[in-house]
Amino acid sequence: MNYIVFDLEFNQGYNFSKETKNTINPKCPFEIIQIGAVKLNNNLETIGTLDILVKPQIYPALNPFVKELTGITMDELDKGKSLKEMYENFSKFIEADKNVLCVWGVADIKELFRNIEYYELDATIVPTEFINIQSYASNALNCKKGINIGLSNATELLEVPIENKFHNALNDAYYTAEVFKKIYNADIKTSIYNHDKRPLLERSKTQNYKIDFHNLTKQFEKMFEREMTVDEKSIIKLAYIMGKTNQFQINIVSDPKLKK
């Protein structure tokens, strides 16, 4: 059995002006732009790594917040693989009799399947058995009930050497794997991720979409590596709703300060 510890970085829509409008697609609000993975064998020895940049198609303009957070540039992404090519590489990487996915929070699994579904790829290739390492690390480090520790804090407390920056998919996968090695014990059990296997076109005819504020908040918590407060969760929700009205858009063409 192998453990596939993986992490994703995403691009997402944003509206700065009519000229830079990058409308959010409810079928795929977070588009994968990088996947990083570390393969561990049954003895928790590293036996392979994967690092792929993905050229975005749904949101072809890189969200400035994502650029600042990850350090990834549009020039780098333009040289990246298509999501289909990335998926083919990932599929080969996880080939084995049995694999268990390992993640820091469940959001990456959800968005992986959502991207697979959007591009109508074969989701049966990806194992649904997984371990949420963040949850087990939070328990091991005696966090209060309902509080999930951030990856950087966990690595610090567990004395994992920090050599590369966070918010890079391969680096984060590596640190997640190192945390897993530190906390591993016989009580860690796998869970099964259940995703809707109905075809995308069928779903689009039968469902009305709405924003998933719970997972939107989880994405913010992953980015900032801490739990959002009740007030912050309310602000995120309110900001999204107010942003959809477009009443706060500024024309960057006419405002020279925003061109910089």
Side-chain angles (χ1 to χ4, degrees), residues 174-193:
Y174 167 79
Y175 291 131
T176 301
E178 292 303 303
V179 169
F180 185 44
K181 294 175 185 179
K182 292 275 190 177
I183 66 169
Y184 182 82
N185 62 73
D187 293 330
I188 292 180
K189 307 297 181 184
T190 62
S191 301
I192 300 296
Y193 182 78

Side-chain angles (χ1 to χ4, degrees), residues 10-13 21-25 28-34 53-62 74 77-86 115 118-119:
F10 307 102
N11 192 28
Q12 57 202 76
K21 190 173 183 181
N22 216 3
T23 305
I24 295 173
N25 187 324
C28 194
F30 300 105
E31 181 178 16
I32 296 171
I33 56 172
Q34 186 189 19
L53 289 175
V54 181
K55 183 177 181 179
Q57 300 295 321
I58 306 170
Y59 309 112
L62 185 60
M74 201 63 235
L77 293 179
D78 282 337
K79 299 173 185 176
K81 297 182 181 295
S82 68
L83 189 129
K84 182 178 179 181
E85 290 173 322
M86 177 278 283
N115 275 253
Y118 182 87
Y119 284 97

Side-chain angles (χ1 to χ4, degrees), residues 129-186:
E129 193 172 3
F130 77 96
I131 297 171
N132 181 357
I133 296 174
Q134 183 185 37
S135 177
Y136 282 104
S138 298
N139 290 334
L141 293 168
N142 298 316
C143 294
K144 293 182 180 179
K145 186 176 181 180
I147 300 296
N148 287 316
I149 193 169
L151 181 57
S152 64
N153 288 335
T155 55
E156 181 180 353
L157 290 172
L158 292 169
E159 299 182 344
V160 174
I162 306 301
E163 299 179 356
N164 297 295
K165 67 183 183 69
F166 290 92
H167 300 300
N168 169 283
L170 179 58
N171 295 346
D172 286 358
Y174 167 79
Y175 291 131
T176 301
E178 292 303 303
V179 169
F180 185 44
K181 294 175 185 179
K182 292 275 190 177
I183 66 169
Y184 182 82
N185 62 73

Side-chain angles (χ1 to χ4, degrees), residues 1 19 32 40 76 91 103 123 132 152 155 166 172 198 241:
M1 180 180 71
E19 288 75 18
I32 296 171
L40 306 176
E76 291 173 318
S91 300
V103 287
N132 181 357
S152 64
T155 55
F166 290 92
D172 286 358
R198 284 181 293 156
I241 294 171

Side-chain angles (χ1 to χ4, degrees), residues 38-54:
V38 175
K39 184 190 295 186
L40 306 176
N41 63 17
N42 201 41
N43 295 318
L44 303 185
E45 298 167 329
T46 300
I47 57 174
T49 61
L50 182 74
D51 183 15
I52 299 176
L53 289 175
V54 181

